[in-house]
Amino acid sequence: MDGDYSTVKGLAEASFTEKKSEFIGHIKHVENEDDAVDFINEIRASNRKARHNVYAYILRGGNISRYSDDGEPQGTAGVPVLEVLRKEGLTDVCCVVTRYFGGILLGGGGLVRAYSHSAKIAADAAERLVMCLCRPVTVTADYNLYGKISYVLSEFEVKLLNTDYAENVTVKMLVKKDFYTPLVEKLIDITNGSALIVHGDEYYDNFA
């Protein structure tokens, strides 16, 4: 649970038509099974005339993965969608593929390709997030040390949040967990211990 992971931001969708059947891939970031079920029900409610609403989701919490063929032949729909999510390295996501049947049967292989493609184009349409365990750090120092501090930050995995130019300069940032200790040691060294360094609790944030 402590490693970096990839997910998507918000909601995205994409569609294509195969032999008169329309396939619409919907993908969304979810935090838990309740979120996933709510999203699946939401898509079903807005696509009541669709023949199938196939889904798959993967959650970090509890290492959970679920899927449903929703009436398609077993193994031709839900599993292909789930496999796309896995190949894309995504977690905390739910993908629902809606099919409006066009009257022409696709066969097992055709269904696998169609549902896989739907999940892939939905994933491609989504904004990706690379979530990393990090710590918020605030450094306050004299202005004559600002140049040194800025130079050092470029050597580490740091995401700058804000710089406040008041009586002293204050830099707020996020630092990847593994870089926190060496960064603090470096800041203490280059400022001869004169900088005020304050940190917060660890949490995940996007470093994409």
Side-chain angles (χ1 to χ4, degrees), residues 97-117:
V97 178
T98 299
R99 181 189 184 188
Y100 284 89
F101 185 55
I104 300 175
L105 297 176
L106 300 184
L111 287 173
V112 169
R113 288 189 293 273
Y115 280 104
S116 296
H117 183 64

Side-chain angles (χ1 to χ4, degrees), residues 52-171:
H52 307 281
N53 285 289
V54 169
Y55 69 79
Y57 58 86
I58 300 176
L59 301 170
R60 292 177 67 246
N63 194 28
I64 294 169
S65 61
R66 302 272 190 272
Y67 67 88
S68 170
D69 294 313
D70 194 35
E72 293 283 29
Q74 185 176 358
T76 64
V79 170
V81 172
L82 182 64
E83 285 304 307
V84 168
L85 299 182
R86 286 175 172 163
K87 288 178 182 178
E88 293 294 307
L90 296 173
T91 190
D92 286 350
V93 291
C94 180
C95 181
V96 183
V97 178
T98 299
R99 181 189 184 188
Y100 284 89
F101 185 55
I104 300 175
L105 297 176
L106 300 184
L111 287 173
V112 169
R113 288 189 293 273
Y115 280 104
S116 296
H117 183 64
S118 298
K120 182 65 166 67
I121 61 177
D124 288 345
E127 180 180 348
R128 300 291 181 95
L129 302 178
V130 179
M131 305 300 289
C132 302
L133 192 59
C134 57
R135 300 187 79 161
V137 176
T138 301
V139 180
T140 302
D142 292 335
Y143 278 93
N144 62 356
L145 295 171
Y146 180 53
K148 288 184 178 181
I149 293 171
S150 297
Y151 180 78
V152 164
L153 294 185
S154 65
E155 301 175 5
F156 295 87
E157 295 279 353
V158 170
K159 180 179 178 180
L160 292 176
L161 300 178
N162 183 57
T163 303
D164 183 33
Y165 303 96
E167 182 177 348
N168 293 303
V169 63
T170 298
V171 181

Side-chain angles (χ1 to χ4, degrees), residues 8-14 25-28 39 121-127:
V8 300
K9 181 178 181 180
L11 169 68
E13 68 177 56
H26 319 261
I27 193 168
K28 185 179 183 181
F39 178 55
I121 61 177
D124 288 345
E127 180 180 348

